[in-house]
Amino acid sequence: LSPDHRDTLVCIYSLAGVLHKQEKYHEAEMMYWRALAGREKTLGLGHPHTLPSMIKLVAILYNRRKYNAAEIMYRRTATEGGKSLGPGYGATLKNTNSLVMFLQARESGIMDEVSVS
């Protein structure tokens, strides 16, 4: 299988999830970036299977306190989800709401109290 084959990317994404659960955030972040890059290359930026990689990456970036990068990914997730799934789709609404909560927490200085999902 090639590095960007669908099955390879599923394995990378799954490995990232295991690493995340083990709190190996650096390693998980690298795997999520790899899965995202492969899915964007093979499926396209706004494809519904690309979006979960973006969402998981937001969580890792948040856990690692990389708030600027997390905000960028939140915005991408909300924008691309809206384009591909539609503005009224449940996942789009959840992603947009999460972005709003993130921005409000960041503005008020209570980042550690916000849950990222």
Side-chain angles (χ1 to χ4, degrees):
L1 300 176
S2 72
D4 291 323
H5 187 276
R6 182 181 154 272
D7 293 340
T8 304
L9 296 173
V10 168
C11 290
I12 292 169
Y13 181 80
S14 297
L15 174 59
V18 170
L19 293 167
H20 188 179
K21 286 183 182 179
Q22 293 176 343
E23 297 182 359
K24 296 180 180 179
Y25 298 130
H26 175 74
E27 294 89 345
E29 180 183 344
M30 296 301 105
M31 293 293 103
Y32 280 130
W33 277 117
R34 174 66 189 92
L36 177 61
R39 286 179 170 172
E40 286 180 340
K41 180 179 174 183
T42 59
L43 301 172
L45 185 60
H47 191 278
H49 291 140
T50 302
L51 295 172
S53 296
M54 294 170 75
I55 292 165
K56 294 294 187 175
L57 191 51
V58 166
I60 289 290
L61 294 168
Y62 181 87
N63 287 340
R64 297 194 69 207
R65 291 178 160 54
K66 295 182 176 183
Y67 299 133
N68 290 335
E71 179 180 343
I72 291 166
M73 290 308 297
Y74 256 134
R75 289 182 184 279
R76 281 186 60 197
T77 302
T79 301
E80 295 304 322
K83 286 179 188 174
S84 66
L85 302 173
Y89 189 75
T92 303
L93 295 172
K94 182 179 178 186
N95 294 338
T96 302
N97 184 58
S98 294
L99 171 61
V100 169
M101 290 175 56
F102 174 86
L103 294 172
Q104 287 175 338
R106 190 168 196 187
E107 174 107 0
S108 64
I110 58 168
M111 291 303 290
D112 293 334
E113 299 173 26
V114 175
S115 173
V116 176
S117 56

